[in-house]
Amino acid sequence: MTENLREQLSALIDEAELEWLKPHIQKDAVIIVVPELDLLDVGVAISSDNTQSVQHWISEQLLVKPSPEILNRWNANPHQKFQAMIIQPYILVKELAISTGV
């Protein structure tokens, strides 16, 4: 079952821009996944109600809501891109490296 869930959720991972995320940020639905965690692993854990893993990540601040400081940084760089996955009612995001265009 987990492999099938991983395949289904893997298909949901996409790239998102800040503008697309803003309405979800306002609804407090965006959760940041730190670079050390795999977005797919987090999505599988949330979808399969693996509360032990999710609570551990939250307690270690590996899953966090965007702070005012983070939102200010994102707003200062409107071209910020994210790897994103919708796991209702949340949007899981990881920041992608910013392209300098050089």
Side-chain angles (χ1 to χ4, degrees):
M1 162 124 172
T2 304
E3 278 306 309
N4 190 21
L5 179 60
R6 287 185 72 80
E7 287 178 25
Q8 291 173 353
L9 294 180
S10 179
L12 299 178
I13 297 174
D14 205 351
E15 190 172 290
E17 295 182 11
L18 181 59
E19 276 304 309
W20 180 84
L21 293 175
K22 283 183 178 180
H24 305 285
I25 292 168
Q26 291 173 351
K27 294 178 191 172
D28 200 30
V30 172
I31 298 174
I32 302 169
V33 178
V34 297
E36 296 81 20
L37 289 179
D38 182 78
L39 190 67
L40 182 57
D41 290 343
V42 174
V44 168
I46 291 172
S47 295
S48 61
D49 291 325
N50 182 342
T51 54
Q52 184 175 359
S53 290
V54 174
Q55 286 298 331
H56 170 74
W57 293 329
I58 291 170
S59 70
E60 295 292 318
Q61 296 187 342
L62 302 173
L63 299 179
V64 297
K65 297 279 183 129
S67 67
E69 295 80 14
I70 291 172
L71 293 174
N72 286 338
R73 182 168 44 84
W74 288 354
N75 287 323
N77 185 3
H79 300 293
Q80 175 68 52
K81 302 238 190 257
F82 303 86
Q83 184 183 39
M85 174 191 294
I86 299 170
I87 302 291
Q88 291 291 348
Y90 304 110
I91 312 289
L92 304 177
V93 299
K94 284 180 82 166
E95 291 183 48
L96 294 175
I98 299 168
S99 173
T100 58
V102 176

